[in-house]
Amino acid sequence: MAQAPKPIASPVPEAWYPSMAALMLVFGLVFTASFFIYEATSSRKNRSIAKELTTGALASVFLGFGSLFLLLATGVYV
Amino acid sequence: METRFALFFFFFFFLLIALLSTPVFSDLVITKVDRKIDLTSHIVRISSSLKVENAGPDVVSQLLLTFPEYQAKKLAYLTASSAEGKGKSKGSSANLPVEVVQPEGVPPALTFYSVSLPRGLGKGESLNLDVFAVLTHSLQPFPEEITQADVQLVLFQDSAHYLSPYEVKAQVLSIKLPSPRVESFTKIQNTKLVDSEIKYGPYENLPAFSYSPIIVHYENNRPFAVATELLREIEISHWGNVQITEHYKLEHGGARTKGGFSRIDYQARPNVRGASSFRRLIVKLPPRAHSVYYRDEIGNVSTSHLWADSRKTELEIEPRYPMFGGWKTFFTVGYGLPLHDYLFESDGKRFLNVSFGSPIAEVVVDNLLVVLPEGSKDISVSVPFSVKQWEEVKYSHLDISGRPVVVLEKKNAVPEHNSHFQVYYKFNSFSMLREPLMLISGFFFLFVSCIIYMHADLSISKSSASYLAKLQWYEVQATVQKLHEIMVRCLTVHDKLEASLRDLSRTGDVQACKAMRKAADSLLKDLSKDLKPLLVFLQSSLQAAQIYQKVEELVVKEKELQEKLMSKHTMVVDAYEKKSAGRELENRIAALQQKLTTLRQEVDDLIDVIDEI
């Protein structure tokens, strides 16, 4: 063996999972809220698709990572 | 029973005659054999230390070990190690390779194992060898059926002489029993029972293949826990966990129970009225095990206790009922282990290093699953003993293509098989992002479908009056929104002008104020230009009739406000330029200011009204 085996750990320390989950879900929900507020308030004619997509993408990134960390924090190791 | 043993004796009698004519295997001579048979549990452990000497002229590198067929079938584990050093200094003794061989001219009732010696033995050289064998299911309960109150008696049979294809010069055998309560044992010469140990020997100068059957009939109430099937599932998550789930099918492998079972008797005197049963098992888990659970098909089994310290985690489990002979139970034990203790990286490959067998001390038929993360490639396994092995695919949380699974199956595994094994595989770290990307795309799909729904025109009739009216109403809405925006911008320009006046009174910089005024003028002009088409549209639109009044009012008010503000601005700037400050001027400005405030209030109100549309 060329080198001594080195242990592999999670890229994010396990102790951070609950706080990461809370933080990211809060951000995600804020973006989701702003997305739906925009959808409901802007009129059909002057709605910008770029703005909708960016808000949606940001919200889904945060919600995605947030729910992943939520799963990990609750012990569902994916 | 009796006839069976008689048959055995006959059989071996003929065997010995047959063997007398077989060729001598080599010129090895066993000068000393010390055999210890441990019968304290239901697993039979035979450790023999041999001293081998080469009496012939040729160099010998192979040694044959012999087991009668009835033992070879139950043999679960066999190792041979050479103890090179003398006395207590024999520490590091490597296991020697052992394999089954079938030399020519021997009856099939004997099974031969060939041990490769660490070095060839020359003439007159000698070697110490330790042989360790583990037998399962070798204790035969007799009687085969007992009642709840009976103790369990078992039979064990072996040979008083060491069965070997070589001449044995001197030998002793000692059999260790769990208690001094022995029903009977075969007495031949030099036999004695001391406490809970039976000693045979010493016997000297016995020829090859000497066999002298002995039978020990004794009391053994140790838990005869046999896992008829154990499925261990090891699931790796690179997010920091090795999850181990063990599904047990456990059976009491001792004498079967007959008659009824009285819970009252058992409860009152469990040691007498349930001597042969066992109630609890200790599961020795690795240190830092977490999320331990113990359940069966019904649900959680609450009769369990857990102790943990820095070196080990101990789980005591009690099945739902005491286990008597022949009774079965099914349960599942699961626990999580920290990833960094068990997963390592070396030469670009990752490998898992966990122990093979069950953490409970018992005989098991083992079926082990190793579930690797999705995206693992080039899987290879290194196990220190032979196992059946194949690969499967398992679907778990957030999987698309499934996780590769290595299945290792081992029949007749004993606690001695609890050595570590390794599973090597390749894994790209970016594959860890599969699960979050899946979640992200799921959420994104939701948002995109919302966007599509909001943009889609779902009405069926594109020419109906109500549809057209709706379209027009959208148009009006959009126009009003634009108008609202323009108004808000106008008001910010107004605020800027006011701010410039305040700056003027503080710094006295007339030029800056004038420049500001110029910029504001052009901006306002642009805005009013933008406003015109919107107003025209609203005027022409039927739907906007009611709104138009408000809008018109707003536009007029705003214009008035603008004019008043401009005249105030001009006045103040003029006054600064001419350096004339009179009471009259101040009064006029104050009057203007009052009007401005009321107008501003009205405009703000109107803007709010329009915003609500």
Side-chain angles (χ1 to χ4, degrees):
Chain A
M1 228 171 262
Q3 71 215 47
K6 63 172 197 285
I8 295 176
S10 167
V12 181
E14 275 114 276
W16 292 6
Y17 286 159
S19 35
M20 292 277 282
L23 199 73
M24 293 197 135
L25 282 178
V26 164
F27 274 107
L29 289 175
V30 165
F31 278 112
T32 314
S34 86
F35 173 83
F36 282 109
I37 289 170
Y38 184 71
E39 288 293 313
T41 53
S42 66
S43 76
R44 184 176 282 248
K45 285 285 158 193
N46 47 12
R47 196 180 285 151
S48 132
I49 191 126
K51 197 183 168 191
E52 284 171 306
L53 283 177
T54 34
T55 326
L58 272 172
S60 47
V61 165
F62 278 109
L63 283 182
F65 273 105
S67 46
L68 173 82
F69 286 123
L70 183 70
L71 283 173
L72 294 173
T74 49
V76 182
Y77 281 89
V78 294
Chain B
M1 212 65 203
E2 299 288 318
T3 48
R4 254 172 74 183
F5 286 125
L7 273 177
F8 248 129
F9 291 132
F10 256 117
F11 171 69
F12 275 102
F13 179 69
F14 284 114
L15 181 72
L16 281 181
I17 292 172
L19 285 173
L20 287 178
S21 57
T22 54
V24 177
F25 284 90
S26 61
D27 297 323
L28 286 178
V29 173
I30 300 178
T31 50
K32 205 179 148 199
V33 180
D34 187 1
R35 264 196 309 159
K36 289 194 177 76
I37 302 180
D38 184 356
L39 297 181
T40 49
S41 74
H42 71 301
I43 299 171
V44 178
R45 293 180 170 87
I46 305 173
S47 51
S48 357
S49 61
L50 316 176
K51 194 172 182 196
V52 188
E53 198 179 299
N54 188 2
D58 302 329
V59 174
V60 181
S61 60
Q62 298 277 325
L63 175 85
L64 290 176
L65 301 173
T66 318
F67 286 91
E69 198 189 11
Y70 71 91
Q71 279 191 349
K73 269 194 268 179
K74 310 253 166 99
L75 188 70
Y77 186 76
L78 176 68
T79 55
S81 57
S82 76
E84 284 285 2
K86 290 274 183 289
K88 283 175 183 164
S89 63
K90 50 173 185 184
S92 60
S93 54
N95 281 353
L96 304 173
V98 180
E99 56 180 308
V100 183
V101 287
Q102 195 63 39
E104 277 178 45
V106 297
L110 290 179
T111 308
F112 286 83
Y113 292 89
S114 163
V115 182
S116 309
L117 299 179
R119 59 188 164 83
L121 277 186
K123 187 175 186 298
E125 283 182 320
S126 70
L127 178 78
N128 287 320
L129 203 69
D130 286 326
V131 179
F132 183 61
V134 179
L135 306 176
T136 58
H137 304 288
S138 291
L139 300 178
Q140 193 179 16
F142 188 77
E144 284 184 341
E145 285 191 336
I146 52 172
T147 64
Q148 181 184 348
D150 290 339
V151 294
Q152 181 170 263
L153 297 171
V154 293
L155 288 173
F156 174 71
Q157 57 186 32
D158 199 356
S159 163
H161 300 161
Y162 182 67
L163 186 61
S164 168
Y166 312 112
E167 189 188 338
V168 182
K169 287 264 170 68
Q171 58 173 299
V172 282
L173 164 68
S174 67
I175 300 176
K176 206 174 152 209
L177 304 173
S179 70
R181 288 192 286 267
V182 182
E183 284 284 301
S184 69
F185 60 96
T186 311
K187 288 189 181 72
I188 50 175
Q189 55 165 358
N190 288 344
T191 308
K192 58 177 183 268
L193 170 69
V194 184
D195 270 347
S196 57
E197 201 168 298
I198 302 172
K199 283 208 159 94
Y200 286 94
Y203 305 114
E204 278 169 3
N205 291 328
L206 290 170
F209 295 110
S210 298
Y211 189 88
S212 161
I214 51 163
I215 287 172
V216 185
H217 191 199
Y218 69 104
E219 180 184 328
N220 190 343
N221 287 323
R222 295 298 160 101
F224 272 48
V226 177
T228 49
E229 198 181 313
L230 164 63
L231 179 70
R232 284 187 94 208
E233 203 175 310
I234 303 174
E235 192 170 337
I236 303 171
S237 162
H238 282 146
W239 290 100
N241 195 36
V242 176
Q243 180 69 35
I244 301 188
T245 317
E246 295 167 356
H247 305 276
Y248 286 92
K249 281 188 185 161
L250 203 74
E251 195 183 321
H252 187 300
R256 280 196 306 281
T257 177
K258 68 176 177 193
F261 165 62
S262 163
R263 177 63 89 161
I264 297 173
D265 283 353
Y266 181 78
Q267 218 68 334
R269 289 187 295 169
N271 292 327
V272 182
R273 300 271 164 186
S276 63
S277 70
F278 62 91
R279 193 211 282 259
R280 58 176 64 84
L281 293 165
I282 301 281
V283 187
K284 287 200 168 71
L285 305 180
R288 291 181 292 284
H290 61 85
S291 323
V292 183
Y293 65 84
Y294 165 48
R295 64 167 176 79
D296 60 11
E297 282 117 326
I298 305 169
N300 179 47
V301 187
S302 56
T303 46
S304 64
H305 306 277
L306 185 74
W307 298 275
D309 61 28
S310 60
R311 272 173 292 121
K312 62 178 188 306
T313 312
E314 247 181 32
L315 175 70
E316 184 197 84
I317 56 173
E318 275 181 44
R320 290 193 189 267
Y321 38 83
M323 296 291 290
F324 278 90
W327 290 15
K328 291 172 184 167
T329 184
F330 313 99
F331 59 87
T332 302
V333 174
Y335 47 96
L337 297 171
L339 185 72
H340 53 84
D341 288 358
Y342 296 92
L343 194 69
F344 301 93
E345 184 162 23
S346 148
D347 293 335
K349 273 195 153 191
R350 298 182 176 209
F351 71 93
L352 174 79
N353 187 25
V354 289
S355 74
F356 185 83
S358 152
I360 307 178
E362 70 206 43
V363 182
V364 290
V365 176
D366 214 341
N367 189 358
L368 183 85
L369 282 176
V370 180
V371 181
L372 300 172
E374 204 174 19
S376 307
K377 288 185 293 265
D378 296 347
I379 302 158
S380 61
V381 183
S382 105
V383 190
F385 37 83
S386 69
V387 288
K388 217 167 117 189
Q389 174 185 337
W390 65 94
E391 285 183 20
E392 285 178 2
V393 170
K394 185 195 163 158
Y395 293 92
S396 179
H397 315 290
L398 302 178
D399 281 348
I400 300 173
S401 56
R403 302 176 187 213
V405 178
V406 183
V407 185
L408 308 174
E409 192 179 301
K410 169 104 186 122
K411 299 255 182 267
N412 215 0
V414 286
E416 275 73 17
H417 286 118
N418 268 5
S419 49
H420 282 69
F421 72 98
Q422 289 82 33
V423 179
Y424 293 87
Y425 63 98
K426 276 190 176 156
F427 187 80
N428 189 344
S429 298
F430 286 106
S431 297
M432 275 182 83
L433 290 175
R434 277 172 185 232
E435 287 97 8
L437 279 179
M438 212 158 136
L439 288 166
I440 289 168
S441 48
F443 282 112
F444 193 64
F445 177 73
L446 177 81
F447 287 115
V448 167
S449 50
C450 276
I451 293 172
I452 291 170
Y453 174 74
M454 293 302 278
H455 281 257
D457 191 351
L458 294 177
S459 59
I460 298 164
S461 155
K462 306 279 184 200
S463 55
S464 74
S466 68
Y467 177 71
L468 289 176
K470 212 163 96 183
L471 276 190
Q472 212 170 20
W473 174 242
Y474 285 142
E475 204 95 344
V476 170
Q477 245 183 344
T479 321
V480 170
Q481 225 164 52
K482 270 186 204 153
L483 190 127
H484 176 250
E485 252 167 54
I486 290 172
M487 282 296 151
V488 169
R489 275 166 72 191
C490 279
L491 289 187
T492 44
V493 174
H494 293 179
D495 288 344
K496 269 186 194 155
L497 279 174
E498 294 275 11
S500 78
L501 281 182
R502 274 197 298 281
D503 278 354
L504 181 67
S505 69
R506 210 175 58 237
T507 59
D509 189 353
V510 181
Q511 290 310 315
C513 195
K514 273 190 169 169
M516 185 70 224
R517 169 69 185 273
K518 217 173 188 177
D521 273 346
S522 69
L523 244 172
L524 286 174
K525 210 180 234 170
D526 286 351
L527 287 174
S528 70
K529 213 185 272 171
D530 288 347
L531 201 58
K532 242 170 219 153
L534 299 180
L535 284 173
V536 170
F537 171 77
L538 282 179
Q539 203 173 9
S540 65
S541 170
L542 278 174
Q543 299 234 340
Q546 288 188 336
I547 303 165
Y548 186 66
Q549 284 181 356
K550 292 271 179 200
V551 172
E552 210 174 18
E553 197 185 339
L554 172 65
V555 172
V556 170
K557 285 266 161 67
E558 199 276 332
K559 207 150 255 172
E560 203 181 336
L561 178 67
Q562 203 174 310
E563 271 165 22
K564 290 265 157 50
L565 186 65
M566 289 308 167
S567 61
K568 176 190 163 191
H569 199 267
T570 326
M571 227 180 275
V572 174
V573 171
D574 278 357
Y576 262 90
E577 265 182 337
K578 290 171 188 161
K579 308 240 186 307
S580 65
R583 182 161 289 275
E584 191 197 354
L585 188 74
E586 260 177 44
N587 281 343
R588 270 164 60 194
I589 288 174
L592 257 178
Q593 186 59 45
Q594 213 171 0
K595 269 187 194 155
L596 274 175
T597 320
T598 49
L599 268 173
R600 178 65 192 254
Q601 188 62 45
E602 280 171 15
V603 168
D604 279 343
D605 287 349
L606 277 170
I607 282 182
D608 283 349
V609 168
I610 283 176
D611 191 25
E612 269 163 33
I613 298 163

